């Protein structure tokens, strides 16, 4: 038998995890690259105050074969 904490729920795994990235600086850029390598992960939105960062992130997403993300400034 297993011992579970009260209120524990078992849910089916999510087939596609959708992410919105806010801040595509040095660390955020690394996160974009890493998330694109994970099967079942999709970046659906990117946001940064600098247009060149959202442009770069959008290019990375589409180059990985995913649909273009929504872009916010």
């Amino acid at each position: 038998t297993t011992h579970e904490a009260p209120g524990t729920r078992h849910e089916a795994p999510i087939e596609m995890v959708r992410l919105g990235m806010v801040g595509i600086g040095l660390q955020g850029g690394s996160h974009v690259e890493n998330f694109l390598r994970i099967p079942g992960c999709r970046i659906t939105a990117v946001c940064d105050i600098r247009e060149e960062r959202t442009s770069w992130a959008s290019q990375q997403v589409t180059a990985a074969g995913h649909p273009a993300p929504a872009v916010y400034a």
Side-chain angles (χ1 to χ4, degrees), residues 11-30:
E11 301 292 334
I14 299 171
E15 290 183 29
M16 181 61 65
V17 176
R18 294 174 301 278
L19 302 167
M21 303 295 299
V22 178
I24 315 292
L26 296 173
Q27 194 166 14
S30 294

Side-chain angles (χ1 to χ4, degrees), residues 3 26 30 32 35 42 45 47 52 55 57 59-61 66 70 73:
H3 299 283
L26 296 173
S30 294
V32 167
F35 283 130
R42 179 153 305 152
C47 176
E52 64 268 18
S55 178
Q59 291 172 356
Q60 296 301 306
V61 171
H66 299 287

Side-chain angles (χ1 to χ4, degrees), residues 20-56:
M21 303 295 299
V22 178
I24 315 292
L26 296 173
Q27 194 166 14
S30 294
H31 291 324
V32 167
E33 293 171 334
N34 290 329
F35 283 130
L36 290 173
R37 293 186 189 114
I38 300 173
C41 236
R42 179 153 305 152
I43 298 173
T44 59
V46 293
C47 176
D48 199 285
I49 61 172
R50 294 177 57 187
E51 186 275 331
E52 64 268 18
R53 290 181 179 169
T54 55
S55 178
W56 174 85

